[in-house]
Amino acid sequence: MISIYKSDLAGNLNSVEDIEVGSWINLIAPSDEEILLVAQKLNIPNDFIRAALDEEEGSRIEIEDDCTLVILDIPFTDIDANSLTYDTYPLAIISTKNTIVTVCLKNSKILTDFINRKIPSFFTFKKIRFMLQILSRISNYYLIYLRQINKKSLLIEKTVYKSLKNREIIQLLALQKSLVYFSTSLKSNEITLEKLLKLEVLQKYDEDKDILEDVIIENRQSIEMCTIYSDVLSGTMDAFASIISNNQNLVMKNLTSVTIVLAIPTLVSGLFGMNVGGVPFANSSLGFGTVTSIVLFITIVVIIYLRRKDMF
């Protein structure tokens, strides 16, 4: 899908039909025809556009003639088995002589925020500033999703203490895997941002350089948060696995105690049900009541003993 936008001098973002000077071309999982059209019209190498369509593409910067390619991993949320999961995908930002192009496999909230005018002071014809605003939004979403992961792990923690199932552990494992993806992507992005800071185009305006430095600081903060949350989550998973195992042992202990108590009347009734002579109280009219009383007494004694031993 290809969408073309252009800002006017008042800051309003308008959708246009054709590629114009100062426009923003947003490509979401583009077809071969759309890739060829944009590449030919803007004189962009096909590899620049196709780079972001590879899920395993790493973060990097590449410059060729008047085109500058910046690829960064951006965070995404997915719904998997009725559970919210987190992942990363590459986003390509291509700055040409007169336009800026973004390419991604999926529609991202980061770019949608610009389309929905949630970002103030945003102009498509200010290419470098627009690119830096995208980078800043990427860092913000990493921080937002990391806080969500932390809150979600705390909610799971409240339910796991009484759990006997592995569902909570599986959910925590998914969160830990998301943190690994985030950590790897953030460290790769850090290298790219450091290289971007050294480009001559950013040396012209101190304000642009300050924005990028703020982005780098937020990126480092996200890396630290990832490390902390991952360590805490790893220790929490080990503790929760022990808790679930202990809960299962408690259930087995209770079931064993109940089995012992129920075995007493079963054993006695089995003995008195034998078709042989010499059974105590067999000829007594009060035999059944006497035996029942004895069995109940023994059972109560056993229950009291097991209760004192904390078996219930």
Side-chain angles (χ1 to χ4, degrees):
M1 182 182 71
I2 178 172
S3 303
I4 307 173
Y5 304 95
K6 186 176 182 181
S7 299
D8 56 25
L9 296 178
N12 299 315
L13 186 66
N14 303 307
S15 178
V16 296
E17 296 296 329
D18 298 322
I19 298 176
E20 302 176 7
V21 175
S23 61
W24 165 32
I25 300 91
N26 185 30
L27 299 173
I28 305 297
S31 62
D32 293 337
E33 293 77 10
E34 291 172 337
I35 293 174
L36 186 61
L37 172 66
V38 174
Q40 290 180 346
K41 205 158 190 177
L42 298 177
N43 194 26
I44 300 174
N46 283 357
D47 293 343
F48 278 22
I49 300 177
R50 295 185 183 276
L53 303 181
D54 181 7
E55 295 183 9
E56 305 300 326
E57 186 69 28
S59 179
R60 60 188 174 89
I61 295 177
E62 189 171 342
I63 300 175
E64 185 173 327
D65 298 331
D66 292 329
C67 295
T68 301
L69 169 66
V70 178
I71 298 181
L72 293 171
D73 289 329
I74 62 175
F76 273 89
T77 57
D78 291 318
I79 300 296
D80 184 17
N82 297 324
S83 179
L84 190 64
T85 59
Y86 301 85
D87 204 346
T88 60
Y89 288 92
L91 169 68
I93 306 173
I94 306 171
S95 176
T96 68
K97 185 176 182 181
N98 298 312
T99 60
I100 190 165
V101 182
T102 56
V103 188
C104 193
L105 273 171
K106 294 185 177 183
N107 192 20
S108 168
K109 290 182 180 179
I110 295 169
L111 299 179
T112 303
D113 286 348
F114 288 92
I115 297 172
N116 295 334
R117 301 173 179 84
K118 293 183 179 180
I119 310 299
S121 304
F122 149 58
F123 299 93
T124 58
F125 51 82
K126 294 183 178 180
K127 298 180 297 177
I128 300 302
R129 179 64 57 83
F130 180 28
M131 178 188 297
L132 294 175
Q133 287 175 315
I134 294 176
L135 299 182
S136 177
R137 201 63 182 168
I138 292 172
S139 298
N140 290 338
Y141 265 97
Y142 268 116
L143 293 172
I144 291 172
Y145 289 154
L146 284 170
R147 293 189 184 100
Q148 288 181 1
I149 290 174
N150 186 44
K151 289 180 179 178
K152 193 172 181 180
S153 64
L154 292 176
L155 290 174
I156 297 173
E157 181 179 349
K158 293 180 180 180
T159 62
V160 79
Y161 291 111
K162 298 180 180 179
S163 176
L164 297 177
K165 300 180 181 179
N166 293 326
R167 182 180 61 184
E168 287 77 13
I169 295 296
I170 294 174
Q171 290 177 347
L172 289 175
L173 181 61
L175 292 180
Q176 189 177 42
K177 186 163 61 174
S178 299
L179 288 174
V180 172
Y181 292 154
F182 276 16
S183 179
T184 304
S185 298
L186 285 167
K187 290 177 182 178
S188 179
N189 287 352
E190 183 180 24
I191 298 174
T192 302
L193 293 173
E194 293 286 355
K195 291 180 179 178
L196 190 61
L197 187 62
K198 298 176 181 179
L199 293 181
E200 293 182 2
V201 69
L202 289 174
Q203 307 302 325
K204 296 181 180 179
Y205 304 99
D206 292 336
E207 188 175 350
D208 289 344
K209 187 176 181 180
D210 291 340
I211 293 175
L212 183 55
E213 288 176 346
D214 291 340
V215 172
I216 293 174
I217 292 173
E218 289 184 351
N219 191 81
R220 289 173 180 169
Q221 182 182 354
S222 299
I223 293 175
E224 292 177 0
M225 290 176 63
C226 265
T227 303
I228 294 171
Y229 290 163
S230 182
D231 292 342
V232 171
L233 201 57
S234 179
T236 303
M237 286 181 61
D238 294 338
F240 285 173
S242 299
I243 290 172
I244 290 178
S245 177
N246 185 60
N247 289 343
Q248 290 177 336
N249 291 336
L250 291 175
V251 172
M252 294 303 297
K253 183 175 68 173
N254 292 336
L255 290 176
T256 302
S257 301
V258 172
T259 302
I260 293 173
V261 172
L262 293 178
I264 296 172
T266 303
L267 177 62
V268 175
S269 62
L271 292 175
F272 278 87
M274 294 182 179
N275 189 19
V276 296
V279 176
F281 307 109
N283 299 321
S284 174
S285 59
L286 300 177
F288 179 78
T290 303
V291 173
T292 302
S293 300
I294 295 173
V295 171
L296 288 176
F297 175 76
I298 296 174
T299 303
I300 292 172
V301 171
V302 172
I303 291 174
I304 294 173
Y305 175 79
L306 292 177
R307 186 70 184 87
R308 289 183 176 178
K309 292 294 184 181
D310 198 26
M311 296 296 291
F312 285 102

